[in-house]
Amino acid sequence: MTQPSPPPAAPRDETSLAEAALGCVRFQRDFARLILPLALLLAVVAGVVTAFRPSFPGRAILDTSKFSLDEWRRLVPILHDPRLVAGTLAVLEKPADGKAAQAEAERLTSLFERPSFWTRQVQYRSALQRDDIREVPNAELRNTSTLGIEISLRANSREEAARQIDATGRHIAQSLLWSLLDGFQRDQAAITTSQRPTLGLRLTKLTFDVEQTQARSADMRALMASFPERPDTTAGTIVSPENGGSRFLSPFAQWVALETKASELQADIRAARRDLERLEWLDRFLTAARAQRDQVQSGFALADRLDAIKTEIFASATAAAAIQARDEISLALAEARARAERIGFTAAPMIESAPVWTRSPLPVAVIVFIASLAALSVLLALY
């Protein structure tokens, strides 16, 4: 019997790499007149748009002496407060062109009111490095000093980048002043609320102790007056005829001790009353400061307002307690102002002379041309 012939081999579906490449070349050659002009047009448009919207990176270090990491973390949540942002923009120098000034204000408002800007582009730089941590394992990270606050941003021009960096530094300074003054008011309000009842109770106890001491002193004087002919009533000690002849202070010695104690208690009462009076003056100041507080939009405006309130309240005050309260407020305001005014740039911002490559016309045009060419080729092949 004859063997049946094997079935013919099925044609291979595989295509070699060289054949695929030749197919792409033929496809591009056939449709180049349609694809290339469109890709080139898109690339030119992208290059022209990028040329009018460059992006210049800028970086600067804001000097903030004696600024701890804890203070910075407490400050960050209020930096994007719209009220404080509006206060900063109100005092900035504006371009002469009205439209340009409005556009820049809108850009700064959008930038400053974005919380991610303060957490990603504005960073706290500690003076403690990783090598220091390895060498000093017990180093207090939260209480170390700082090299400053690093500001990194991008803008459409080098001049705009410089203005934005300067505005960022001013905003941090005035927000720090606001935080310090707000913290001072809250702390003083808490102290006033907690200490006034304590001082009132202490004053009541001291008054009772004075009455008791004065009553005992009067008893000792009456006892000495009962024995005017006995010279030993003024002796230091007297021997008791009971309990084995124990010794105790003579009426005169006890009277001197009681008078001394009464004098000390009177001094404590005067000090407590002065503290209460001082807290009363502080409470007057804080009550006036809380009125219309939400209308103040910046730290420096808040400092000026508190200074004016202090002058008005303590204008006719002559008591020692009032003067002490006024001096404490003046010291707190002066220290807060000094810290805010010391914040500044020790060197000019570092701004690149050329825009980043992703916002440079030539690289963007090349990328768009290649991407458009590939996308149009795929779409045309699918069609």
Side-chain angles (χ1 to χ4, degrees):
M1 293 180 64
T2 60
Q3 296 291 334
S5 60
R12 294 185 304 170
D13 293 334
E14 295 83 359
T15 302
S16 65
L17 184 62
E19 293 175 351
L22 288 175
C24 292
V25 171
R26 285 194 298 269
F27 179 84
Q28 295 291 341
R29 184 185 59 192
D30 296 338
F31 296 97
R33 293 181 179 180
L34 178 62
I35 296 176
L36 286 178
L38 291 175
L40 185 61
L41 177 62
L42 292 174
V44 171
V45 171
V48 171
V49 171
T50 304
F52 285 99
R53 296 179 60 85
S55 180
F56 291 85
R59 176 176 173 270
I61 299 294
L62 186 66
D63 182 31
T64 54
S65 59
K66 297 181 180 180
F67 196 55
S68 65
L69 180 59
D70 280 346
E71 288 179 315
W72 171 247
R73 288 178 175 174
R74 286 194 298 267
L75 181 63
V76 168
I78 70 171
L79 287 172
H80 57 83
D81 188 334
R83 178 179 52 184
L84 297 180
V85 172
T88 298
L89 298 182
V91 299
L92 292 178
E93 295 182 3
K94 300 177 177 59
D97 187 1
K99 293 183 178 180
Q102 183 179 359
E104 183 171 307
E106 291 176 354
R107 284 193 298 269
L108 287 175
T109 301
S110 175
L111 184 68
F112 288 172
E113 292 184 359
R114 193 166 66 241
S116 60
F117 170 74
W118 301 106
T119 56
R120 297 178 183 177
Q121 295 176 255
V122 183
Q123 297 291 327
Y124 179 90
R125 294 305 178 200
S126 173
L128 193 65
Q129 304 297 327
R130 293 183 179 180
D131 294 338
D132 299 330
I133 298 176
R134 286 194 293 265
E135 295 174 1
V136 187
N138 297 326
E140 297 184 4
L141 301 181
R142 293 179 180 271
N143 296 325
T144 55
S145 59
T146 175
L147 296 177
I149 304 298
E150 183 179 11
I151 303 171
S152 302
L153 50 78
R154 293 180 179 180
N156 294 336
S157 66
R158 301 182 74 245
E159 294 77 12
E160 182 179 340
R163 288 196 300 269
Q164 288 187 5
I165 290 175
D166 179 69
T168 304
R170 290 173 178 264
H171 184 64
I172 292 174
Q174 73 97 355
S175 299
L176 174 63
L177 181 56
W178 173 279
S179 177
L180 293 173
L181 296 178
D182 183 66
F184 167 72
Q185 294 179 76
R186 293 178 185 274
D187 292 344
Q188 293 301 314
I191 291 173
T192 303
T193 303
S194 62
Q195 286 190 359
R196 288 172 70 179
T198 303
L199 285 173
L201 178 60
R202 174 176 169 78
L203 189 59
T204 302
K205 291 181 177 180
L206 288 172
T207 303
F208 176 75
D209 290 342
V210 167
E211 293 175 356
Q212 288 289 88
T213 303
Q214 289 176 343
R216 290 186 61 193
S217 176
D219 293 341
M220 290 299 106
R221 287 198 305 271
L223 183 61
M224 288 187 295
S226 301
F227 304 96
E229 72 282 355
R230 296 294 303 272
D232 56 349
T233 56
T234 60
T237 58
I238 296 177
V239 180
S240 174
E242 299 178 354
N243 300 326
S246 60
R247 295 175 178 271
F248 59 91
L249 290 175
S250 67
F252 178 78
Q254 291 189 51
W255 174 75
V256 172
L258 290 170
E259 287 294 323
T260 302
K261 182 180 179 181
S263 177
E264 293 175 352
L265 291 173
Q266 291 285 1
D268 292 340
I269 287 176
R270 290 192 295 270
R273 287 175 176 169
R274 172 170 173 164
D275 287 341
L276 275 174
E277 186 180 358
R278 180 180 61 85
L279 293 178
E280 290 288 346
W281 282 100
L282 281 175
D283 187 60
R284 293 182 196 175
F285 170 78
L286 295 173
T287 302
R290 283 192 294 268
Q292 300 179 350
R293 174 177 174 272
D294 295 337
Q295 298 181 5
V296 183
Q297 293 185 330
S298 72
F300 290 100
L302 179 60
D304 293 338
R305 181 172 179 272
L306 293 179
D307 202 11
I309 293 174
K310 179 200 68 176
T311 303
E312 179 181 355
I313 290 180
F314 296 96
S316 58
T318 57
I323 294 174
Q324 181 179 351
R326 182 197 62 192
D327 292 344
E328 290 176 357
I329 296 170
S330 299
L331 178 61
L333 293 177
E335 289 180 346
R337 279 184 182 273
R339 287 199 61 185
E341 290 173 354
R342 282 198 301 267
I343 293 179
F345 297 101
T346 56
M350 294 172 288
I351 304 174
E352 299 292 339
S353 57
V356 294
W357 70 271
T358 55
R359 298 291 289 274
S360 184
L362 183 59
V364 170
V366 171
I367 293 173
V368 171
F369 176 77
I370 295 174
S372 302
L373 191 64
L376 291 173
S377 298
V378 171
L379 292 175
L380 189 59
L382 292 175
Y383 178 76

